[in-house]
């Protein structure tokens, strides 16, 4: 998931991408791939380095794209426990179960806008349907179906 998110950010022309992984070697590998394809836009960060956490304070969007915090281990999150989210942060956790992860809870308490991975499931279904059938659902019907899906999935 992290690779897909990082490449999507690069394709959307993000000014800079910081990849943090508890395995720094994996972070450096992903940054090398991004930098080879898009220029010098990605840097690897080490969770144990203070400058990494400081760099997160300057971020606009924090995206968590690992299974950390997913059911049944919903009581963990990838950032240091003392991390103080800033109200300008947008926090996106690609996890969909639980609907609100510990990371999202901590960010929301600090006034951040938070999003989970449930909507990704919906749009992945549309892309798979288009890919398999060659039929693209028009935008108006997509929005109607999305609202129906949201009512169903968020009210379980």
């Amino acid at each position: 998931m992290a690779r897909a998110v990082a490449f999507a950010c690069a394709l959307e022309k993000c000014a800079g991408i910081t990849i943090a992984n508890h395995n720094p070697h994996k972070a450096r590998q992903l940054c090398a791939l991004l930098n080879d394809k898009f220029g010098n836009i990605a840097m690897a960060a080490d969770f144990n380095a203070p400058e990494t956490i400081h760099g997160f304070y300057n971020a606009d969007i924090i995206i968590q794209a690992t299974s950390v915090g997913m059911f049944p281990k919903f009581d963990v999150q990838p950032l240091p426990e003392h991390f103080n989210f800033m109200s300008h942060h947008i926090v996106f956790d690609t996890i969909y179960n639980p609907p609100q992860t510990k990371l999202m809870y901590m960010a929301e308490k600090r006034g951040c806008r938070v999003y989970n991975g449930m909507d990704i499931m919906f749009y992945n279904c549309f892309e798979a349907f288009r890919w398999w059938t060659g039929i693209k659902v028009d935008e108006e019907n997509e929005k109607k179906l999305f609202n129906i899906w949201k009512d169903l999935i968020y009210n379980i």
Side-chain angles (χ1 to χ4, degrees), residues 18-21 24 27 31 43-47 52 56:
T18 301
I19 307 291
N21 189 312
C31 287
M43 66 172 248
D46 180 351
F47 275 113
T52 295
F56 287 159

Side-chain angles (χ1 to χ4, degrees), residues 28-87:
R28 287 190 300 273
Q29 283 181 317
L30 181 51
C31 287
L33 284 171
L34 289 166
N35 289 337
D36 284 347
K37 183 151 179 75
F38 299 100
N40 193 25
I41 63 164
M43 66 172 248
D46 180 351
F47 275 113
N48 297 319
E51 61 270 11
T52 295
I53 300 307
H54 180 72
F56 287 159
Y57 290 118
N58 295 321
D60 294 318
I61 304 172
I62 297 173
I63 302 171
Q64 199 291 105
T66 72
S67 60
V68 174
M70 184 173 252
F71 181 82
K73 295 183 179 185
F74 53 85
D75 59 337
V76 296
Q77 55 90 21
L79 293 176
E81 289 297 321
H82 65 276
F83 183 77
N84 290 316
F85 289 93
M86 309 301 282
S87 61

Side-chain angles (χ1 to χ4, degrees), residues 99 116-119 146 149-156:
N116 67 19
M118 284 187 178
D119 297 349
F146 179 74
W149 180 84
K150 250 175 67 170
D151 286 343
L152 289 172
I153 200 77
Y154 286 96
N155 292 315
I156 291 177

Side-chain angles (χ1 to χ4, degrees), residues 83-97:
F83 183 77
N84 290 316
F85 289 93
M86 309 301 282
S87 61
H88 75 273
H89 285 141
I90 298 169
V91 177
F92 176 57
D93 197 332
T94 60
I95 290 174
Y96 51 87
N97 185 11

